Amino acid sequence: MSLTRTDVYRIAHLARIEINEAQANATLAQLNDIFAMIEKMQRVNTEGIEPMSHPLGGSQRLRDDAVTETDQRGDNLRNAPAQADGLFLVPKVIE
């Protein structure tokens, strides 16, 4: 698939971008190069190849999900101007 300069101007209009002729020609060349690369990638036979989460087969090193801090609810609520049942009370801002 290749684009024409008319297509580039239409895309620019839809994006509300003002471009001149030199910019349109440069954009046209870049977009056609991108489409050529996509077409080349689509011709690659991927039959029987499983999808990978990482191209090198690596994996994320994750830490254990463990609680490391103590419950400090009481300390935090002590600074609250108003509280009820262990929750902060805030003034109503929408009527």
Side-chain angles (χ1 to χ4, degrees), residues 11-54:
I11 293 168
H13 174 72
L14 291 173
R16 304 296 190 252
I17 299 172
E18 185 177 331
I19 61 173
N20 59 32
E21 190 167 336
Q23 292 170 325
N25 289 334
T27 302
L28 177 63
Q30 290 174 352
L31 288 173
N32 281 333
D33 287 345
I34 290 169
F35 284 130
M37 181 178 55
I38 291 171
E39 287 175 1
K40 185 177 179 181
M41 288 181 355
Q42 287 177 336
R43 287 193 299 262
V44 173
N45 182 11
T46 58
E47 191 72 30
I49 297 179
E50 293 185 34
M52 300 184 305
S53 61
H54 192 276

Side-chain angles (χ1 to χ4, degrees), residues 54-78:
H54 192 276
L56 302 176
S59 63
Q60 292 280 346
R61 291 177 286 178
L62 302 174
R63 63 174 172 79
D64 291 335
D65 189 16
V67 176
T68 59
E69 295 185 16
T70 59
D71 181 20
Q72 298 178 4
R73 176 182 266 185
D75 294 337
N76 294 332
L77 285 173
R78 196 173 10 229

